[in-house]
Amino acid sequence: MSENGKITVFLLDDHEVVRRGVHEMLAMENDIEVVGEAGTAADALVRIPATRPDVAVLDVRLPDGSGVEVCREIRSRDSGVKCLMLTSFSDDEALFDAIVAGASGYVLKAIRGQELLTAVRDVAAGRSLLDPVATQRVLERLRTGRGAPEDDPAASLTEQEQRILDLIGEGLTNRAIGERLHLAEKTIKNYVSSVLSKLGMERRSQAAAYVARRQATRDRSRP
């Protein structure tokens, strides 16, 4: 919290009208202070660590990436920042990614203003807003390794996770992958854990072998 005891909040949304509306609504509350905002993932990754908010309200879909990826990166740097995902779409896959990334909550933009205020306060207090039934479904997928079509286990990977899987296939270490993608080594470690979970694997050597098999299959299918 800020020195005056208020809950500090950072807003990330590429739609200025939405961002401004949420900002104004939060700013009207005596116990909440908006300390920064951004319209892109790149800006958020610079500004959130600088402002160190209690809660980061993150739009899931962004022009230059995903709010889930921002959540994962920020949480790897500072676990004290709670992330509340805000999206227009009810999507099991995005919920899955948000939970793996360490988000504390996942709400739709159709949420009422008062409900959003309550969500911010609850997340700041350390409570989880993730629906218990949906969370259990996601945790079951993590435990069993299910969640992708049987013919392509990698179908559920995000674009960033797919890039990291390919680099694992090239034999790169977490540090080397981080240097290639300009991300912290700890962030890459979190990504790798997510990739292995989605593929139902325990070791990166299994993932590397999977990439090799997939590439061989593609090569054979080419005329």
Side-chain angles (χ1 to χ4, degrees):
M1 293 191 180
S2 63
E3 293 180 358
N4 56 16
K6 293 185 177 182
I7 298 168
T8 54
V9 178
F10 188 97
L11 303 176
L12 169 60
D13 197 300
D14 60 319
H15 294 100
E16 184 182 358
V17 173
V18 173
R19 199 169 68 241
R20 183 175 297 178
V22 174
H23 187 149
E24 291 179 355
M25 180 181 65
L26 294 175
M28 292 176 64
E29 301 300 304
N30 294 329
D31 62 333
I32 297 176
E33 178 183 0
V34 178
V35 293
E37 57 182 73
T40 65
D43 280 349
L45 288 173
V46 172
R47 296 176 183 176
I48 292 177
T51 55
R52 298 196 66 191
D54 297 311
V55 179
V57 179
L58 309 174
D59 189 10
V60 170
R61 299 178 187 236
L62 300 165
D64 64 334
S66 162
V68 172
E69 293 175 359
V70 172
C71 173
R72 182 182 287 109
E73 172 71 8
I74 293 301
R75 294 274 301 166
S76 72
R77 298 184 195 177
D78 185 354
S79 60
V81 178
K82 307 293 194 303
C83 294
L84 177 62
M85 312 310 299
L86 191 60
T87 180
S88 303
F89 308 95
S90 179
D91 180 354
D92 256 15
E93 202 57 55
L95 174 60
F96 178 93
D97 291 336
I99 291 175
V100 172
S104 297
Y106 185 94
V107 296
L108 297 178
K109 288 185 178 179
I111 191 172
R112 295 175 182 273
Q114 191 58 49
E115 292 173 339
L116 179 58
L117 292 172
T118 299
V120 168
R121 292 183 176 111
D122 283 348
V123 167
R127 291 187 283 272
S128 173
L129 296 184
L130 297 167
D131 177 71
V133 174
T135 301
Q136 184 59 42
R137 189 165 63 242
V138 169
L139 293 177
E140 178 68 13
R141 286 176 55 181
L142 281 171
R143 186 178 67 80
T144 62
R146 291 198 298 267
E150 292 183 4
D151 60 339
D152 184 7
S156 67
L157 300 182
T158 65
E159 289 184 18
Q160 185 77 304
E161 289 169 343
Q162 183 61 63
R163 284 192 287 269
I164 288 172
L165 175 60
D166 290 339
L167 293 174
I168 290 174
E170 292 180 21
L172 272 62
T173 63
N174 287 352
R175 176 174 294 181
I177 294 174
E179 291 174 352
R180 181 81 65 88
L181 299 180
H182 308 292
L183 292 173
E185 184 176 353
K186 186 175 180 181
T187 300
I188 298 301
K189 183 179 180 180
N190 291 338
Y191 269 121
V192 171
S193 295
S194 176
V195 168
L196 294 179
S197 293
K198 289 185 179 183
L199 295 179
M201 299 174 182
E202 297 179 356
R203 297 181 299 277
R204 63 192 299 133
S205 58
Q206 293 174 292
Y210 167 77
V211 173
R213 288 195 303 271
R214 187 172 62 171
Q215 186 59 50
T217 301
R218 288 174 178 172
D219 290 343
R220 286 196 300 270
S221 65
R222 288 172 184 161

